[in-house]
């Protein structure tokens, strides 16, 4: 499903990823740990097609071009980036998904209870008030967005690091319930977030250990 | 001057400076009118009396006055007005930022980021335009002085001509400034609000560019940005149409007035009530009056366009 061969990437003349190779099979749950600045977010962005490797190849679901890779993956970032749109549009990003699918992901992302309290429900306009949402609510919308795209590959960049322990547990449970049959790569510096993962690596000096 | 703009001047402590600029600039067009009218009359009289030898000294004298006039205007514009203008912008920006930094988080959340950004940038620039920009308040004042004094001179020179000019001017002036231009601030206010919404999109588009790419959201973002951009354009176009219509009314009024003047002037000269040189002088003052009316109309239109921005700045203060 994911194959990295001798991938190298540097930034400002500093080697971030050094000749890294990794093979991930369909349905694998891979955890990558590392200190801040160790390059784990860079690695995730290479896997998401947001960066192009300087050398080596990144193959995701048969695609090698970054733009094509981006179409094949879903990503949940550390800080959820919401747009001044309705909750519905933030989840679907303007794509036409069946209502049943949107309702399903809203439920899976554990947004239902909160949305029911809103007068306009899913059509509530976040607009410039996106920052009034709690971190948990915003992150759940971002998760629902990733679930709605329903890619085979789910990439997680510390999705729960900015949340309190209760929200963090709930968000991670929601993700794992959804991603039971997906290929997951989760980068974090918190080992407890990687319970039950197939393999856990540590990223140091641009290399996986 | 609008009450809110006066308040902005008071808040920045620039009222006296602006009064100085107004006093220095206000008489320019009228002095220029006196110069042109007298020059024309003098040249025609010298030609009629076949005193060709006097033409050159007269020309030299008027040239000297003209140079002094333009030198004066350039000095006032380039040194006094510019300096005061720069100080005003600097003080206004500081004052707006100071007021902003005093606000609580809750107060800041009352407006969107885009709204704040547009108030801090383009609205301040438009407030400045309102005060000293071309065909705004300063030119309105110059035009008003020129119009009033030219009308007063016409009153002394030939009351029939003044009455004819006023009959052909005032109805069109009111039609243009009261009926046509009245709606411009509404369109401009709408335009500013959509501009704030448009600006609101800049931050998320930059900050969420990766999410937009991953989730292929460029289409919905483009559609929303285009929607706001179109609303800005539509409102600006509506305001622009009104300005163009007002300008058309002014031109029509000017042309018909001129034809009436030619007709009246011809019959007055035919009846030897006025000679050619004096008629040219009268025409010159009437021209200045008309020019000032048109300028006043244009200024009112543009000021109305910039006023919503000044009001938005005043709200922050």
């Amino acid at each position: 499903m994911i194959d990295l061969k001798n991938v190298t990437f540097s930034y400002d003349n500093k080697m971030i990823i050094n000749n890294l190779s990794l093979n991930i099979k369909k349905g694998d749950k891979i955890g990558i740990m590392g200190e801040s600045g160790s390059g784990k977010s860079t690695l995730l962005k290479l896997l998401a097609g947001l960066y192009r490797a300087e050398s080596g190849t990144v193959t995701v679901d048969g695609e090698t071009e970054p733009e094509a890779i981006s179409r094949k993956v879903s990503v949940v970032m550390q800080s959820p980036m919401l747009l001044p749109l309705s909750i519905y549009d933030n989840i679907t990003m303007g794509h036409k998904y069946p209502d049943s699918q949107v309702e399903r992901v809203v439920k899976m992302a554990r947004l239902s209870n909160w949305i029911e309290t809103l007068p306009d429900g899913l059509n509530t306009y976040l607009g410039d008030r996106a920052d009034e949402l709690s971190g948990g609510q915003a992150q759940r919308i971002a998760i629902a967005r990733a679930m709605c795209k329903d890619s085979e590959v789910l990439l997680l960049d510390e999705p729960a690091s900015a949340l309190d322990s209760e929200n963090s547990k709930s968000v991670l449970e929601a993700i794992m319930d959804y991603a039971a049959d997906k290929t997951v790569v989760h980068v974090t510096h918190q080992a407890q977030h990687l319970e039950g993962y197939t393999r856990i690596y540590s990223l140091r000096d641009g290399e996986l250990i | 001057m609008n009450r809110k703009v006066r308040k902005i001047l008071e808040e920045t402590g620039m009222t006296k400076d602006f009064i100085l600029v107004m006093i220095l600039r206000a008489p320019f067009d009228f002095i220029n009118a006196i110069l042109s009218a007298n020059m024309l009359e003098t040249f025609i009289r010298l030609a009629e009396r076949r005193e060709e030898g006097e033409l050159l000294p007269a020309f030299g004298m008027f040239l000297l006055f003209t140079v002094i006039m333009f030198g004066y205007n350039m000095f006032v514009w380039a040194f006094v007005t510019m300096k005061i203008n720069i100080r005003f912008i600097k003080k206004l920006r500081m004052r707006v930022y100071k007021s902003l930094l005093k606000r609580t988080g809750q107060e800041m959340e009352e407006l969107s980021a885009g709204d704040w950004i547009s108030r801090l940038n383009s609205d301040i620039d438009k407030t400045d335009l309102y005060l000293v920009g071309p065909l705004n308040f300063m030119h309105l004042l110059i035009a008003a002085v020129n119009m009033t004094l030219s009308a007063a001179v016409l009153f002394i020179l030939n009351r029939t001509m003044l009455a004819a000019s006023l009959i052909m001017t005032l109805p069109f002036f009111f039609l243009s400034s009261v009926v046509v231009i009245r709606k411009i601030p509404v369109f401009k206010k709408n335009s500013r609000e959509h501009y704030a919404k448009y600006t609101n999109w800049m931050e998320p588009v930059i900050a969420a560019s990766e999410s937009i790419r991953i989730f292929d959201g460029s289409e919905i973002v483009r559609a929303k940005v285009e929607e706001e951009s179109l609303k800005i354009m539509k409102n600006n176009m509506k305001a622009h149409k009104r300005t163009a219509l007002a300008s058309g009314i002014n031109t029509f009024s000017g042309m018909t007035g001129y034809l009436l003047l030619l007709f009246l002037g011809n019959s007055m000269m035919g009846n030897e009530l006025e000679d050619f040189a004096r008629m040219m002088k009268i025409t010159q003052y009437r021209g200045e009056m008309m020019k000032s009316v048109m300028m006043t109309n244009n200024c009112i239109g543009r000021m109305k366009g910039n006023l919503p921005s000044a009001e938005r700045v005043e709200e922050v203060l």
Side-chain angles (χ1 to χ4, degrees), chain A residues 97-109:
Chain A
Y97 293 114
D99 285 349
S100 58
Q101 188 179 341
V102 179
E103 282 166 23
R104 187 171 57 86
V105 298
V106 164
K107 204 171 168 187
M108 288 179 85

Side-chain angles (χ1 to χ4, degrees), chain B residues 249-301:
Chain B
I249 290 170
N250 284 342
T251 310
F252 181 72
S253 150
M255 287 308 291
T256 48
Y258 190 65
L259 289 174
L260 180 68
L261 191 87
L262 283 180
F263 174 75
L264 282 174
N266 191 39
S267 51
M268 279 177 186
M269 283 191 292
N271 293 320
E272 292 185 351
L273 293 171
E274 297 284 0
D275 63 11
F276 183 61
R278 198 170 144 94
M279 190 49 74
M280 282 298 105
K281 189 177 183 179
I282 290 168
T283 315
Q284 198 66 26
Y285 280 113
R286 180 261 167 200
E288 286 297 324
M289 211 179 97
M290 280 308 300
K291 186 184 90 181
S292 301
V293 170
M294 287 184 190
M295 204 160 132
T296 302
N297 235 331
N298 280 329
C299 290
I300 291 172

Side-chain angles (χ1 to χ4, degrees), chain A:
Chain A
M1 179 58 74
I2 299 175
D3 192 39
L4 282 89
K5 272 191 190 144
N6 309 111
V7 173
T8 300
F9 187 86
S10 57
Y11 188 78
D12 271 356
N13 294 326
K14 190 189 167 203
M15 186 68 76
I16 311 285
I17 303 293
N18 187 10
N19 201 32
L20 188 146
S21 294
L22 177 69
N23 187 271
I24 301 169
K25 291 189 174 60
K26 190 176 180 200
D28 276 357
K29 310 279 183 285
I30 305 297
I32 297 173
M33 293 192 60
E35 297 298 317
S36 292
S38 61
K40 44 188 200 306
S41 291
T42 304
L43 176 59
L44 204 83
K45 285 183 179 181
L46 283 163
L47 291 175
L50 294 171
Y51 289 169
R52 186 185 283 275
E54 274 169 22
S55 63
T57 54
V58 177
T59 311
V60 177
D61 204 6
E63 302 290 351
T64 52
E65 276 303 304
E67 206 167 323
I69 291 174
S70 291
R71 282 197 288 268
K72 293 276 185 175
V73 301
S74 284
V75 184
V76 180
M77 306 279 191
Q78 190 174 351
S79 311
M81 291 299 171
L82 301 182
L83 296 166
L85 298 165
S86 66
I87 297 175
Y88 183 90
D89 284 337
N90 264 291
I91 292 172
T92 63
M93 291 295 269
H95 297 288
K96 290 198 188 324
Y97 293 114
D99 285 349
S100 58
Q101 188 179 341
V102 179
E103 282 166 23
R104 187 171 57 86
V105 298
V106 164
K107 204 171 168 187
M108 288 179 85
R110 297 170 191 189
L111 280 165
S112 310
N113 290 344
W114 169 59
I115 286 173
E116 277 167 18
T117 64
L118 302 171
D120 293 327
L122 270 174
N123 293 321
T124 301
Y125 178 69
L126 295 178
D128 42 270
R129 300 280 177 261
D131 51 354
E132 283 177 15
L133 297 175
S134 73
Q137 286 159 344
Q139 193 60 292
R140 283 194 185 92
I141 295 173
I143 290 165
R145 175 195 287 167
M147 289 172 173
C148 209
K149 188 179 176 187
D150 204 23
S151 306
E152 283 303 312
V153 177
L154 179 62
L155 306 174
L156 307 170
D157 185 1
E158 310 215 39
S161 66
L163 307 177
D164 58 44
S165 60
E166 195 185 327
N167 261 313
S168 160
K169 191 167 175 268
S170 160
V171 160
L172 290 172
E173 276 174 9
I175 292 171
M176 292 322 284
D177 285 349
Y178 157 77
D181 59 342
K182 307 284 180 195
T183 307
V184 178
V185 179
H186 184 167
V187 300
T188 181
H189 63 277
Q190 290 172 291
Q192 69 272 25
H193 290 171
L194 301 174
E195 270 176 39
Y197 274 61
T198 323
R199 279 175 283 161
I200 297 171
Y201 295 98
S202 186
L203 188 65
R204 250 182 248 159
D205 300 325
E207 291 177 35
L208 285 178
I209 300 162

Side-chain angles (χ1 to χ4, degrees), chain B residues 8-260:
Chain B
I8 291 175
L9 279 177
E10 282 166 20
E11 290 277 351
T12 50
M14 296 292 289
T15 311
K16 282 181 186 167
D17 300 78
F18 268 89
I19 291 172
L20 173 73
V21 174
M22 285 192 283
I23 292 168
L24 289 174
R25 293 195 64 193
F28 177 79
D29 273 19
F30 181 65
I31 297 173
N32 197 36
I34 297 172
L35 204 63
S36 311
N38 284 299
M39 183 172 72
L40 207 61
E41 190 189 22
T42 307
F43 285 167
I44 292 170
R45 287 207 190 288
L46 289 174
E48 279 175 348
R49 291 202 296 261
R50 301 207 164 272
E51 291 172 2
E52 288 89 353
E54 295 298 314
L55 274 171
L56 193 63
F59 171 77
M61 188 185 71
F62 283 114
L63 180 69
L64 179 69
F65 280 131
T66 306
V67 169
I68 291 170
M69 273 305 297
F70 281 92
Y72 168 79
N73 194 42
M74 205 173 72
F75 171 77
V76 172
W77 179 243
F79 295 99
V80 185
T81 312
M82 277 311 201
K83 273 186 185 172
I84 288 175
N85 193 26
I86 289 166
R87 267 176 53 214
F88 169 68
I89 287 274
K90 187 181 145 196
K91 282 189 171 185
L92 184 57
R93 281 197 198 283
M94 287 305 107
R95 185 70 188 76
V96 171
Y97 272 96
K98 205 173 152 188
S99 163
L100 215 70
L101 293 170
K102 274 186 190 166
R103 281 163 198 259
T104 62
Q106 196 183 355
E107 285 170 331
M108 288 299 289
E109 281 171 13
E110 281 169 10
L111 294 175
S112 66
D115 208 322
W116 285 120
I117 292 167
S118 57
R119 280 170 201 252
L120 286 168
N121 280 323
S122 53
D123 283 338
I124 288 185
D125 293 339
K126 282 177 186 285
T127 306
D128 181 52
L129 266 183
Y130 178 99
L131 282 164
V132 291
L135 293 177
N136 272 269
F137 179 73
M138 207 57 84
H139 278 148
L140 175 76
L141 183 83
I142 296 167
V145 169
N146 193 18
M147 186 166 55
T148 314
L149 296 178
S150 293
V153 173
L154 263 184
F155 181 80
I156 297 163
L157 292 177
N158 189 318
R159 285 173 203 180
T160 312
M161 284 300 196
L162 173 66
S165 299
L166 288 177
I167 287 166
M168 294 311 294
T169 310
L170 290 180
F172 293 108
F173 177 75
F174 282 111
L175 177 70
S176 166
S177 63
V178 179
V179 182
V180 180
I181 295 174
R182 194 174 52 90
K183 272 258 182 182
I184 289 178
V186 180
F187 298 134
K188 284 291 179 181
K189 191 168 184 266
N190 289 343
S191 163
R192 299 308 301 158
E193 279 167 9
H194 289 298
Y195 183 77
K197 284 185 184 171
Y198 176 79
T199 313
N200 261 352
W201 272 97
M202 290 179 185
E203 193 192 344
V205 163
I206 295 163
S209 61
E210 291 178 342
S211 296
I212 291 168
R213 174 166 163 160
I214 294 287
F215 296 102
D216 195 16
S218 54
E219 197 51 38
I220 190 169
V221 170
R222 189 198 56 74
K224 291 286 172 185
V225 171
E226 189 179 277
E227 191 182 306
E228 292 306 334
S229 169
L230 270 173
K231 283 176 184 167
I232 297 171
M233 227 164 64
K234 275 184 185 168
N235 278 290
N236 282 344
M237 279 311 291
K238 282 180 187 171
H240 188 70
K241 274 184 196 166
R242 295 263 172 166
T243 311
L245 185 58
S247 174
I249 290 170
N250 284 342
T251 310
F252 181 72
S253 150
M255 287 308 291
T256 48
Y258 190 65
L259 289 174
L260 180 68

